[in-house]
Amino acid sequence: MFFKNVQLYRLPAPWGMTAERLAEALASQAFAPAPSNELLRQGWASPRENGQLVHAANGQFLLSLVTEKKILPSKVINQVAKAKAAELEEQQGFPPGKKAMKELKERVADELLPRAFPARDAVDVWIDPKHGWLVVNSSTASKADDVIKLLLNAVDRLPLESLRVQSSPAAAMTAWLESDEAPHNFTIDQDATLRATGESKSQIGYKRHTLDPEDMRRHIAAGKLCQRLALTWNSRISFVLTDQLSIKAIKPLDVLKENDSVTFDQAERFDNDFTLMSGELANLFADLVEALGGEARG
């Protein structure tokens, strides 16, 4: 396993929470399928499908937030509501007005809900108590917000904060491109997006393309800042850093795959992979924070 896209949060380092205490706190929010008349249901499920809400390995914790949502296509609702509106028009001699039509659609949605198809989605969460990281495996901030909201409700006085750094990622990435020099332990790859800060909001993107220093300086001189930049850390992990301090398109490189231990036991293999990922990413995060001027305090 290897997280693909992450949103980063900070905990005290070290954080004195045990897997047992955390699982006990999450128990009140354990996932259960939504009843037929409920549109949305969220809760914590076992990451290893063994009944344990917190999977612990080598001092690292893994959680899984499951969301079940009933799928009610608007096209179906509109079709049924249109048919019912026609019946009303025939009965009363005039079509329902705007307000009545809105109420009719709401009633139709309620009627169709028990027959709606439930779709489930799971978001993994990794907690590193030793280094103080809480990492949500999602490319979107909204899913991370769901995770954080439920955790704050479940864990009393959870000492969680957003990661804040001294240098804005956009300013730092722009400076790296302008100087054609990556920070220590990093190399610049071939993907980048630069966007103008003025009213034009003009944008240029590079995909698998050499980032010529002169081209970069010309765009920067014209008022563009780097919004996304592909980097490789320590020849071990490639990723894309965004101006919102999200890390996307994470990919372990061959040097990690070659060092991956071989085992025929599925549970042992999972824990080995989890331990490898958590150790490598924790080191990457530390170097990235340093490259961005360190953490902002206070």
Side-chain angles (χ1 to χ4, degrees):
M1 65 170 299
F2 224 95
F3 281 17
K4 303 298 183 184
N5 307 281
V6 302
Q7 312 290 327
L8 299 177
Y9 299 87
R10 260 322 204 173
L11 290 164
W15 185 40
M17 174 65 76
T18 66
E20 293 75 18
R21 285 168 52 205
L22 182 56
E24 183 179 348
L26 300 180
S28 63
Q29 297 177 348
F31 176 78
S36 60
N37 62 343
E38 191 171 320
L39 182 63
L40 179 70
R41 176 68 67 91
Q42 290 182 311
W44 302 102
S46 172
R48 298 292 291 131
E49 298 183 356
N50 58 7
Q52 301 297 317
L53 295 182
V54 179
H55 180 74
N58 197 35
Q60 306 294 306
F61 303 157
L62 184 67
L63 320 177
S64 182
L65 178 66
V66 173
T67 299
E68 181 180 277
K69 186 174 183 179
K70 301 289 181 61
I71 304 300
L72 266 178
S74 58
K75 184 177 181 180
V76 174
I77 295 174
N78 291 335
Q79 285 176 344
V80 176
K82 185 178 179 180
K84 289 183 177 292
E87 293 176 3
L88 281 174
E89 183 177 358
E90 185 176 345
Q91 293 171 5
Q92 61 192 17
F94 59 90
K98 186 176 181 180
K99 181 179 179 181
M101 197 65 196
K102 180 182 178 183
E103 293 174 349
L104 181 58
K105 288 182 179 180
E106 291 174 351
R107 289 200 301 272
V108 167
D110 289 340
E111 293 171 2
L112 294 177
L113 186 57
R115 290 182 282 166
F117 180 77
R120 290 186 187 178
D121 179 46
V123 176
D124 289 330
V125 184
W126 156 43
I127 297 176
D128 180 350
K130 179 180 178 180
H131 300 102
W133 292 112
L134 188 146
V135 186
V136 181
N137 186 23
S138 174
S139 61
T140 61
S142 60
K143 289 186 178 181
D145 289 342
D146 289 342
V147 167
I148 300 308
K149 181 180 177 180
L150 264 69
L151 276 175
L152 290 174
N153 288 334
V155 182
D156 187 39
R157 298 179 182 177
L158 179 66
L160 186 68
E161 297 179 351
S162 297
L163 174 62
R164 296 182 298 117
V165 289
Q166 295 285 353
S167 300
S168 79
M173 291 187 293
T174 302
W176 301 339
L177 289 176
E178 189 173 27
S179 65
D180 190 29
E181 185 175 350
H184 180 63
N185 280 343
F186 294 90
T187 55
I188 296 174
D189 294 336
Q190 295 187 321
D191 291 10
T193 301
L194 294 93
R195 184 180 300 129
T197 56
E199 293 182 2
S200 70
K201 300 296 182 183
S202 60
Q203 177 176 300
I204 185 167
Y206 293 84
K207 190 75 172 177
R208 294 188 292 274
H209 191 286
T210 299
L211 304 182
D212 181 74
E214 291 304 317
D215 287 344
M216 298 299 104
R217 293 176 187 129
R218 186 173 68 253
H219 290 305
I220 293 168
K224 292 185 178 71
L225 291 177
C226 185
Q227 307 294 312
R228 295 169 57 93
L229 183 63
L231 299 162
T232 292
W233 170 75
N234 211 23
S235 300
R236 300 172 75 80
I237 298 174
S238 66
F239 64 97
V240 173
L241 177 65
T242 77
D243 59 335
Q244 300 300 312
L245 201 49
S246 296
I247 302 176
K248 300 187 176 184
I250 299 170
K251 183 179 179 181
L253 302 182
D254 289 342
V255 65
L256 283 185
K257 296 175 182 177
E258 291 169 0
N259 292 334
D260 193 10
S261 59
V262 178
T263 176
F264 295 99
D265 182 88
Q266 186 177 6
E268 184 180 350
R269 177 59 182 266
F270 185 92
D271 285 349
N272 285 345
D273 289 347
F274 181 39
T275 299
L276 175 68
M277 180 198 77
S278 58
E280 294 292 332
L281 288 184
N283 289 331
L284 185 159
F285 298 158
D287 282 353
L288 183 59
V289 167
E290 183 179 351
L292 295 172
E295 291 191 56
R297 303 292 185 181

